Amino acid sequence: MYDVLTVREDFPLLKNVIYLDNAATTQTPVQAVSAMLDYFYKYAANHGRGAHRLARETTDHYEDARDELASFFNMDVEKTVFTKNATEGINVVSRGFPWKQGGHVIVTLVEHHSNLLPWMRLKESGVELTVIKPGKDGIIDPEDIRSSINDRTQLIAVNHVSNVFGSIQDIGKIISLARMEGVKVLVDGSQSAGNMPIDIKVCDPDFFVCPGHKGLLGPQGTGLLYIKEPDSIEPLLLGGGMVSSVTPDSFRMEPSPAKFEAGTPNIPGVIGLGRAVEYVKDIGVHNIEKHELSLARKTALLLSEIHGVEVYGPQNRAGVVSFNVVGMNAHDVAMILDQTRNICVRSGYHCAMPSVDHLGVKGTVRASFALYNTEEEVEALIRTVSDIVSLVL
Ligand SMILES: Cc1ncc(COP(=O)(O)O)c(C=O)c1O
């Protein structure tokens, strides 16, 4: 294991707050911030576009970050595409996939809007959508997916971990059943990347997306898209940096990943992300997973013991705990936590209205954990929620 207090020194902001909104975005370690400062102060230029020394140095650092990410997830470098967030990755696939007229896509009800709306829009192009319902705990039964596959099904899009329930989906099983039916799978790893070990060559999805700014500890405006067969997908954006030749009436695209990265990318962000991932790797994802799961499961247990608190999601959850104080609006609870004890949690629908509706409530309070959270922070949360409950009882 690692020493949490030593790790916290790399996140100066944590001296002032109890930050439990890591499912929305995490803090970035000083090592990654300083890698970004190095870019601005020492070698800033554009990527891949010049022969001069700064452009070459920038390109080297940017591509080093790609190597870092590819090695972290065991992905081929040429299939490792930088995006600005998870949402962009999903939209690249939904827009660029070779849909057939009358095609069919399967998603689940426990998706973030980012992994729901891009598929809904396909109805306009004649692609049918099936939305699979989870159990009460947010877990999808792979058999429900299997029984929804028909001879027109082209793709299944599913989260690895729900940002509302903290439920962990059996993506291994979903991918293997899809493979047997000749159906492609997109995994939304937004709540699992950097939080639990993922080996892309082992789980073998056709597409994998994640943000850089959650479990990977990178800055906002970064994300990752893995495409197993890049030639099968059309890029979303066309423009500079993604073409090898252009005439007045035609162009030839570069191979992946350049094909999917038109325009100037978020160069400092990607460089910071590369350094952040190195940081995560040094601590060890297995260690991070163990730590986050232990905090989240303890939180869920202690909250469920408070009379007047409802906790959602399965016992075997990832680092996300949704709950409500019965009779109180989730935003009010979050505001009291912040204003009385500097505890930052998320409240509301978490960009996943169908998931929250499935619980039959109008929002939840969500505490979510990262490698730098402590048992003491969990105890402060529990104490404060108990105090809030005593106000309403
Ligand atoms: C499960 C899930 N998918 C997708 C997203 C969207 O991520 P981004 O805002 O980086 O596009 C989130 C963000 O919270 C998420 O939790």
Side-chain angles (χ1 to χ4, degrees), residues 23 85-87 112 114 161 163 188 190-191 211 213-214:
N85 48 37
T87 305
H112 189 280
S114 297
V161 169
N163 66 318
D188 174 3
S190 296
Q191 296 296 342
H213 62 90
K214 296 189 199 274

mmCIF file of all heavy atoms in Angstrom, residues 23 85-87 112 114 161 163 188 190-191 211 213-214, ligand 1:
data_model
loop_
_atom_site.group_PDB
_atom_site.id
_atom_site.type_symbol
_atom_site.label_atom_id
_atom_site.label_comp_id
_atom_site.label_asym_id
_atom_site.label_seq_id
_atom_site.Cartn_x
_atom_site.Cartn_y
_atom_site.Cartn_z
ATOM 1 N N ALA A 23 -15.904 11.768 -8.545
ATOM 2 C CA ALA A 23 -16.557 11.198 -9.724
ATOM 3 C C ALA A 23 -16.833 12.284 -10.752
ATOM 4 O O ALA A 23 -17.031 12.011 -11.933
ATOM 5 C CB ALA A 23 -17.854 10.491 -9.339
ATOM 6 N N ASN A 85 -12.539 14.973 -23.808
ATOM 7 C CA ASN A 85 -13.239 14.364 -22.666
ATOM 8 C C ASN A 85 -13.828 13.021 -23.126
ATOM 9 O O ASN A 85 -13.680 12.647 -24.305
ATOM 10 C CB ASN A 85 -14.350 15.286 -22.133
ATOM 11 C CG ASN A 85 -15.232 15.836 -23.242
ATOM 12 O OD1 ASN A 85 -15.528 15.136 -24.209
ATOM 13 N ND2 ASN A 85 -15.653 17.077 -23.120
ATOM 14 N N ALA A 86 -14.508 12.343 -22.233
ATOM 15 C CA ALA A 86 -15.127 11.069 -22.607
ATOM 16 C C ALA A 86 -16.250 11.283 -23.617
ATOM 17 O O ALA A 86 -16.439 10.495 -24.557
ATOM 18 C CB ALA A 86 -15.672 10.378 -21.368
ATOM 19 N N THR A 87 -16.985 12.356 -23.423
ATOM 20 C CA THR A 87 -18.129 12.666 -24.285
ATOM 21 C C THR A 87 -17.704 12.734 -25.751
ATOM 22 O O THR A 87 -18.384 12.201 -26.639
ATOM 23 C CB THR A 87 -18.738 14.023 -23.850
ATOM 24 O OG1 THR A 87 -19.044 13.940 -22.464
ATOM 25 C CG2 THR A 87 -19.970 14.364 -24.643
ATOM 26 N N HIS A 112 -24.452 7.687 -18.066
ATOM 27 C CA HIS A 112 -24.327 9.147 -18.050
ATOM 28 C C HIS A 112 -24.963 9.637 -19.358
ATOM 29 O O HIS A 112 -24.942 8.918 -20.367
ATOM 30 C CB HIS A 112 -22.826 9.474 -18.019
ATOM 31 C CG HIS A 112 -22.488 10.904 -17.801
ATOM 32 N ND1 HIS A 112 -22.534 11.823 -18.813
ATOM 33 C CD2 HIS A 112 -22.067 11.573 -16.703
ATOM 34 C CE1 HIS A 112 -22.149 13.003 -18.339
ATOM 35 N NE2 HIS A 112 -21.859 12.883 -17.053
ATOM 36 N N SER A 114 -23.871 11.368 -21.507
ATOM 37 C CA SER A 114 -22.868 11.305 -22.583
ATOM 38 C C SER A 114 -22.879 9.977 -23.324
ATOM 39 O O SER A 114 -22.453 9.897 -24.469
ATOM 40 C CB SER A 114 -21.464 11.492 -22.008
ATOM 41 O OG SER A 114 -21.346 12.751 -21.439
ATOM 42 N N VAL A 161 -18.467 1.418 -14.759
ATOM 43 C CA VAL A 161 -18.943 1.717 -13.402
ATOM 44 C C VAL A 161 -19.945 2.863 -13.515
ATOM 45 O O VAL A 161 -19.675 3.864 -14.191
ATOM 46 C CB VAL A 161 -17.762 2.145 -12.493
ATOM 47 C CG1 VAL A 161 -18.268 2.722 -11.173
ATOM 48 C CG2 VAL A 161 -16.822 0.968 -12.221
ATOM 49 N N ASN A 163 -21.889 6.158 -12.521
ATOM 50 C CA ASN A 163 -21.555 7.351 -11.724
ATOM 51 C C ASN A 163 -22.654 7.701 -10.727
ATOM 52 O O ASN A 163 -22.486 8.622 -9.945
ATOM 53 C CB ASN A 163 -21.273 8.562 -12.632
ATOM 54 C CG ASN A 163 -22.490 9.010 -13.399
ATOM 55 O OD1 ASN A 163 -23.246 8.193 -13.909
ATOM 56 N ND2 ASN A 163 -22.715 10.308 -13.494
ATOM 57 N N ASP A 188 -17.651 2.599 -21.598
ATOM 58 C CA ASP A 188 -17.421 3.920 -21.021
ATOM 59 C C ASP A 188 -16.709 3.711 -19.678
ATOM 60 O O ASP A 188 -17.329 3.343 -18.682
ATOM 61 C CB ASP A 188 -18.771 4.637 -20.830
ATOM 62 C CG ASP A 188 -18.613 5.954 -20.088
ATOM 63 O OD1 ASP A 188 -17.473 6.339 -19.764
ATOM 64 O OD2 ASP A 188 -19.646 6.603 -19.819
ATOM 65 N N SER A 190 -15.346 5.918 -17.771
ATOM 66 C CA SER A 190 -15.162 7.206 -17.084
ATOM 67 C C SER A 190 -14.977 7.069 -15.584
ATOM 68 O O SER A 190 -14.257 7.842 -14.969
ATOM 69 C CB SER A 190 -16.360 8.124 -17.352
ATOM 70 O OG SER A 190 -16.429 8.419 -18.714
ATOM 71 N N GLN A 191 -15.660 6.097 -14.978
ATOM 72 C CA GLN A 191 -15.553 5.949 -13.519
ATOM 73 C C GLN A 191 -14.649 4.789 -13.116
ATOM 74 O O GLN A 191 -14.604 4.428 -11.937
ATOM 75 C CB GLN A 191 -16.957 5.758 -12.907
ATOM 76 C CG GLN A 191 -17.873 6.944 -13.073
ATOM 77 C CD GLN A 191 -17.368 8.198 -12.349
ATOM 78 O OE1 GLN A 191 -16.523 8.127 -11.454
ATOM 79 N NE2 GLN A 191 -17.857 9.361 -12.753
ATOM 80 N N PRO A 211 -12.346 9.976 -19.499
ATOM 81 C CA PRO A 211 -11.789 11.324 -19.401
ATOM 82 C C PRO A 211 -10.388 11.222 -18.818
ATOM 83 O O PRO A 211 -10.057 10.242 -18.145
ATOM 84 C CB PRO A 211 -12.715 12.021 -18.398
ATOM 85 C CG PRO A 211 -13.693 11.003 -17.915
ATOM 86 C CD PRO A 211 -13.254 9.663 -18.387
ATOM 87 N N HIS A 213 -9.563 13.573 -16.667
ATOM 88 C CA HIS A 213 -9.662 14.422 -15.480
ATOM 89 C C HIS A 213 -10.355 13.771 -14.287
ATOM 90 O O HIS A 213 -10.739 14.445 -13.347
ATOM 91 C CB HIS A 213 -10.405 15.723 -15.839
ATOM 92 C CG HIS A 213 -11.820 15.486 -16.301
ATOM 93 N ND1 HIS A 213 -12.881 15.470 -15.435
ATOM 94 C CD2 HIS A 213 -12.329 15.221 -17.531
ATOM 95 C CE1 HIS A 213 -13.999 15.226 -16.121
ATOM 96 N NE2 HIS A 213 -13.685 15.068 -17.387
ATOM 97 N N LYS A 214 -10.530 12.448 -14.343
ATOM 98 C CA LYS A 214 -11.125 11.785 -13.167
ATOM 99 C C LYS A 214 -10.048 10.875 -12.553
ATOM 100 O O LYS A 214 -9.048 11.379 -12.056
ATOM 101 C CB LYS A 214 -12.386 11.031 -13.571
ATOM 102 C CG LYS A 214 -13.508 11.945 -14.097
ATOM 103 C CD LYS A 214 -14.793 11.178 -14.276
ATOM 104 C CE LYS A 214 -15.784 11.868 -15.208
ATOM 105 N NZ LYS A 214 -16.633 12.847 -14.526
HETATM 106 C C1 LIG B 1 -19.997 7.338 -16.440
HETATM 107 C C2 LIG B 1 -19.642 8.637 -17.101
HETATM 108 N N1 LIG B 1 -19.608 8.698 -18.430
HETATM 109 C C3 LIG B 1 -19.284 9.842 -19.077
HETATM 110 C C4 LIG B 1 -18.964 10.980 -18.379
HETATM 111 C C5 LIG B 1 -18.627 12.231 -19.135
HETATM 112 O O1 LIG B 1 -17.294 12.581 -18.932
HETATM 113 P P1 LIG B 1 -16.737 13.936 -19.596
HETATM 114 O O2 LIG B 1 -17.419 15.058 -18.905
HETATM 115 O O3 LIG B 1 -15.272 13.895 -19.362
HETATM 116 O O4 LIG B 1 -17.062 13.889 -21.034
HETATM 117 C C6 LIG B 1 -18.989 10.968 -16.983
HETATM 118 C C7 LIG B 1 -18.704 12.184 -16.203
HETATM 119 O O5 LIG B 1 -19.066 12.323 -15.067
HETATM 120 C C8 LIG B 1 -19.328 9.762 -16.326
HETATM 121 O O6 LIG B 1 -19.365 9.684 -14.990
#
